[in-house]
Amino acid sequence: MAIKYSMLGLLVYAAMVAYLLAGLGLATRYLPSRFHAVRWGMYPHVFVTRLTKVGWIFYIIGFLISISAIIIRAINVDHIPLRSMFEIMLFMGMAMFPVSVFSRQVLRVGGEAVDAFVAALVLFPAGFVFPTNIGHLPPALQSPLFGPHVIAYLLAYAILAKAAVQAFALLITPGNEIAENPDCSRAQAMNRMVKFGFPMLTAGLLLGSVWGKMAWGDYWNWDPKEMLSLATWLVFAGYFHMNSSPRLGPRLRAAAVLLGFVLILATLLMANLTRIFGGMHSYTT
Amino acid sequence: MASRVSKIRGVLIWLGLAVLFLLAGLSVFGAFLGAQRAKNFFNSIPLAIFWLFLAELLLVSLIDWRNRKPKLGVITIHLGTLLIICGAMWGSQYAHKLRALWMGENKMVVGQVSLQPGQQAKLHDLNIKLEKAWVEYYPPTKPTWDLFYETRSPDTLTAVYQPIIWQVGEPVELGRSGIKMTVKRYVTDEANPIHDGQLAPPVVILEVSLGDVGGELMFSVKDNVVTARLPLIALFDSESAWSMAGAPSIVFDLGQAVKDYKAELSISDTTGGQLAHKVIEVNDPLQCGGYHFYLTESDGTGQNVTIMLRSDSGLWIVFTGFGLLMLGLVINMWLSPAWRASRLEQAVTLDTPREEEGQV
Ligand code: HEM
């Protein structure tokens, strides 16, 4: 655990602060309704609407800062900056914003306050835990599939994290209604997120498999990280079959989504960080 | 009739669900086994039966769409999955053995040869010749080679390396051995300090001492090596005393990161007719005669290279399955909801019709 006294460190911290402020602003939406009526001085707008707008502005600022950090990092390392855990966390911190915007605008699923807090949370290890050592790209990582494989996975993880948030909310709250999703129930919001993320997850898996064939000689190597990502994929595939069984209610489906998300965390973190699962996927530092 | 078909569908859905969660559980189990044991486990006879069962379930689920409007996306997904499983089984070790037994097919699943440039080897009916091999390095980040202090445990002979931070004329102690070392001169090809992207091998004049014993040594690193060792035997009474002290040595290392291992391969048949010729590298194998040829190992100079070949049986079935699976998912989860929503002239949603009927 160390503070980074560098330009890059500074940008990460600035993005974290912006995301935290964004999360606070956006979370005012959840205040009880009597607060919504409070007026801001002489302005005709209600207090909460204003604060949510401020939240969005900070969310955009945090996104712009993290994009700049990624560009600076790319210039410094001279390859796609997705090699070290620092770079992966930085990318995740950047990716939450576009995922939030797409979800709200196209899928009509809200929850961006949580997204902004998640963005701040994933930047924490980038800011304080993982080193920013610059490494050359070893021969195995020099493949046109490297970028697409990792980006597909990270986007899928960000999207499925949102699905897991909806699933969690569905499990802990008795009602199925939610104010921030404009036109759907929580179960529908969760379903839309899983349907958005699952093809991306599959793309990550299949691109990795084709790459494995090119680099190592086999499209499947039974490596622990591969096995965990297959388990994740199968749980979400199972989730779609639960959709077809009317007897399995939304709560059981939500449990499946949460199980899938736990497996994502296991794949992303344990395979990289612990010695339990040594394997071929240990390029990340 | 309709109710019998829908009963079959109901059973299939439950079976599919059970099979998917079972396989997910087995995969987590496999992650704890480690790659080799997981591979053996998933290729064992009981699992082979499981794969056949899964393939058969998928096949039945494909056929059983009669009583409802077929959904293009869902069919494509299941067809893709079926092809992946079939292709993988066709390419497995068992399938190779069975084909050899029944059809007389003469094909290895995997093979390996170690070669030096200019050498060739015969594997089955293919001649593999290594024309040339070399290593490309990233540009150096500093002007000199790296120096390490190496010691070996007298029992296990495992080596431990400590970097030596040195400057010309400044004495340094090597570890806690009491050995002192000073680089007196570091001479290199000044006119041409980088040869083919690599730092030129140096000639180094060192002063080393241990207690009262000591003196000057000249060590020149040979051409075409990336690492060289200078054993400090001269500081000890005998070689065995030196070994007992941990065989202290100074290691000179090029210290540049490898950018690419490359090998120029020619493949010919038994009559000598050339079938393929290519410079291969990691991530860019050669494809010929039903196999892919890979560069799997190379020393830092490219003088010793291991070439692996792998059977391509079933590969294109699997890759077609990948394509169909991906296509089906995009149709089922992205395109058809978007199309449905745009037809309804609503905001785009990714709901299924069932959801809109309020069953979720
Ligand atoms: C292994 C990977 C598999 C994937 C990714 C997959 C994916 C899907 C998807 C996305 C659906 C559509 C769900 C919906 O529209 O609500 C579906 C439906 C279905 N799947 Fe699979 N599936 C897989 C394996 C299986 C297997 C092994 C079976 C074997 C029985 C099976 C049987 C079915 C059936 C019968 C349906 C129809 C559901 C319906 O029409 O309501 N699937 N599958």
Side-chain angles (χ1 to χ4, degrees):
Chain A
M1 185 100 164
I3 296 175
K4 295 188 170 71
Y5 298 100
S6 60
M7 178 67 179
L8 207 55
L10 207 67
L11 288 175
V12 172
Y13 301 136
M16 278 174 74
V17 171
Y19 284 148
L20 284 175
L21 292 173
L24 289 174
L26 292 165
T28 53
R29 197 194 285 274
Y30 301 106
L31 287 172
S33 55
R34 63 199 145 89
F35 289 98
H36 289 239
V38 177
R39 281 170 191 276
W40 176 257
M42 299 176 57
Y43 291 101
H45 300 282
V46 287
F47 186 52
V48 163
T49 317
R50 287 237 129 190
L51 279 183
T52 349
K53 277 198 181 133
V54 172
W56 271 109
I57 291 170
F58 274 114
Y59 204 3
I60 295 172
I61 293 174
F63 169 69
L64 292 176
I65 298 173
S66 40
I67 276 274
S68 329
I70 289 178
I71 294 171
I72 291 176
R73 180 68 178 173
I75 295 170
N76 285 349
V77 296
D78 202 21
H79 55 73
I80 300 175
L82 289 171
R83 199 198 147 189
S84 62
M85 282 307 278
F86 169 79
E87 291 163 355
I88 284 173
M89 291 300 171
L90 192 58
F91 184 90
M92 289 291 269
M94 181 280 294
M96 281 320 287
F97 177 79
V99 167
S100 289
V101 172
F102 187 88
S103 303
R104 166 144 312 260
Q105 297 298 327
V106 181
L107 307 180
R108 324 275 294 150
V109 174
E112 34 303 277
V114 183
D115 300 350
F117 284 127
V118 168
L121 189 74
V122 294
L123 284 181
F124 181 85
F128 295 100
V129 182
F130 297 119
T132 50
N133 302 350
I134 291 178
H136 286 299
L137 220 49
L141 294 189
Q142 292 165 29
S143 160
L145 295 174
F146 169 45
H149 163 66
V150 181
I151 289 172
Y153 257 133
L154 294 182
L155 286 177
Y157 289 172
I159 296 162
L160 293 173
K162 264 180 89 74
V165 169
Q166 297 292 342
F168 185 68
L170 195 154
L171 280 181
I172 58 166
T173 50
N176 205 12
E177 298 318 310
I178 186 157
E180 83 240 11
N181 298 330
D183 63 5
C184 63
S185 69
R186 244 177 206 148
Q188 284 171 322
M190 172 179 82
N191 196 45
R192 288 176 190 186
M193 292 316 299
V194 182
K195 282 195 161 184
F196 179 28
F198 187 68
M200 209 79 96
L201 189 76
T202 312
L205 185 68
L206 299 186
L207 286 167
S209 181
V210 174
W211 182 14
K213 176 68 196 165
M214 303 313 280
W216 297 323
D218 228 335
Y219 52 81
W220 197 257
N221 290 286
W222 310 99
D223 178 85
K225 190 159 180 171
E226 287 178 358
M227 297 313 292
L228 284 177
S229 59
L230 178 68
T232 310
W233 187 82
L234 288 165
V235 165
F236 283 108
Y239 163 87
F240 290 110
H241 290 83
M242 295 170 89
N243 270 350
S244 312
S245 319
R247 261 185 284 166
L248 299 173
R251 287 171 156 266
L252 263 179
R253 278 175 229 157
V257 170
L258 282 179
L259 174 64
F261 189 67
V262 168
L263 285 170
I264 286 179
L265 291 182
T267 315
L268 185 65
L269 299 176
M270 283 161 83
N272 280 333
L273 299 181
T274 69
R275 305 242 169 257
I276 309 173
F277 302 103
M280 297 165 101
H281 282 84
S282 48
Y283 298 106
T284 37
T285 43
Chain B
M1 178 69 193
S3 82
R4 225 185 79 209
V5 172
S6 72
K7 241 188 198 158
I8 296 178
R9 234 194 79 216
V11 172
L12 271 181
I13 291 171
W14 281 105
L15 269 179
L17 195 59
V19 161
L20 288 171
F21 277 102
L22 176 65
L23 195 52
L26 291 177
S27 301
V28 174
F29 173 64
F32 284 93
L33 286 181
Q36 192 51 50
R37 283 163 63 207
K39 182 178 177 168
N40 296 342
F41 173 67
F42 281 96
N43 283 287
S44 61
I45 299 275
L47 266 287
I49 294 168
F50 175 82
W51 293 122
L52 280 171
F53 177 65
L54 181 60
E56 185 247 355
L57 272 184
L58 278 161
L59 194 66
V60 177
S61 76
L62 274 183
I63 300 165
D64 185 48
W65 300 102
R66 280 162 300 167
N67 74 328
R68 66 202 300 263
K69 231 168 65 184
K71 283 206 229 155
L72 181 66
V74 177
I75 291 182
T76 317
I77 291 169
H78 290 105
L79 187 62
T81 315
L82 179 63
L83 286 185
I84 295 170
I85 294 171
C86 291
M89 289 197 294
W90 187 258
S92 68
Q93 197 123 24
Y94 281 125
H96 277 81
K97 271 191 198 155
L98 289 179
R99 283 197 299 275
L101 214 62
W102 294 339
M103 295 151 67
E105 188 193 74
N106 179 21
K107 205 169 177 192
M108 301 173 269
V109 183
V110 55
Q112 213 165 342
V113 273
S114 291
L115 293 171
Q116 290 182 351
Q119 277 185 334
Q120 55 183 343
K122 200 163 161 284
L123 271 177
H124 278 221
D125 45 4
L126 294 173
N127 252 329
I128 305 165
K129 181 166 186 205
L130 179 66
E131 307 278 355
K132 227 165 69 178
W134 68 100
V135 182
E136 289 174 7
Y137 288 89
Y138 282 105
T141 48
K142 53 192 175 358
T144 56
W145 283 43
D146 286 337
L147 265 58
F148 291 90
Y149 173 55
E150 182 200 81
T151 46
R152 281 173 191 274
S153 130
D155 307 324
T156 62
L157 293 183
T158 26
V160 178
Y161 298 93
Q162 283 173 263
I164 304 175
I165 315 287
W166 59 275
Q167 267 187 335
V168 173
E170 286 192 8
V172 284
E173 186 176 340
L174 303 182
R176 285 200 210 108
S177 60
I179 302 175
K180 293 216 168 55
M181 180 202 88
T182 312
V183 176
K184 306 281 279 189
R185 285 189 69 195
Y186 181 97
V187 189
T188 184
D189 185 352
E190 267 178 38
N192 205 1
I194 295 177
H195 297 170
D196 286 339
Q198 288 180 41
L199 285 172
V203 176
V204 185
I205 298 172
L206 296 168
E207 191 175 274
V208 284
S209 63
L210 175 60
D212 322 330
V213 190
E216 240 179 46
L217 289 171
M218 189 172 94
F219 186 73
S220 78
V221 178
K222 289 199 203 88
D223 279 341
N224 296 325
V225 298
V226 287
T227 160
R229 175 179 295 103
L230 168 63
L232 297 174
I233 300 178
L235 295 177
F236 296 83
D237 297 339
S238 64
E239 198 169 326
S240 59
W242 170 75
S243 290
M244 286 310 293
S249 308
I250 295 170
V251 170
F252 295 74
D253 186 272
L254 174 65
Q256 287 175 240
V258 173
K259 184 153 180 266
D260 273 314
Y261 298 103
K262 298 206 169 172
E264 190 181 334
L265 275 195
S266 293
I267 313 293
S268 49
D269 57 22
T270 37
T271 62
Q274 196 177 67
L275 299 173
H277 176 253
K278 182 176 172 180
V279 175
I280 62 170
E281 56 183 288
V282 181
N283 275 314
D284 191 12
L286 179 155
Q287 198 195 334
C288 165
Y291 297 98
H292 269 82
F293 294 78
Y294 298 86
L295 176 60
T296 46
E297 256 179 75
S298 169
D299 64 7
T301 58
Q303 292 309 298
N304 291 293
V305 166
T306 306
I307 303 291
M308 174 180 74
L309 77 175
R310 264 187 187 272
S311 159
D312 281 349
S313 297
L315 181 68
W316 298 108
I317 306 176
V318 171
F319 281 2
T320 308
F322 282 5
L324 286 180
L325 171 60
M326 200 57 231
L327 182 73
L329 288 172
V330 169
I331 294 174
N332 179 254
M333 300 193 180
W334 290 355
L335 297 183
S336 82
W339 182 70
R340 211 161 39 230
S342 73
R343 223 180 31 161
L344 290 170
E345 287 184 334
Q346 285 177 348
V348 179
T349 76
L350 289 188
D351 291 341
T352 59
R354 260 190 307 280
E355 276 185 345
E356 279 144 25
E357 285 156 20
Q359 285 191 20
V360 164

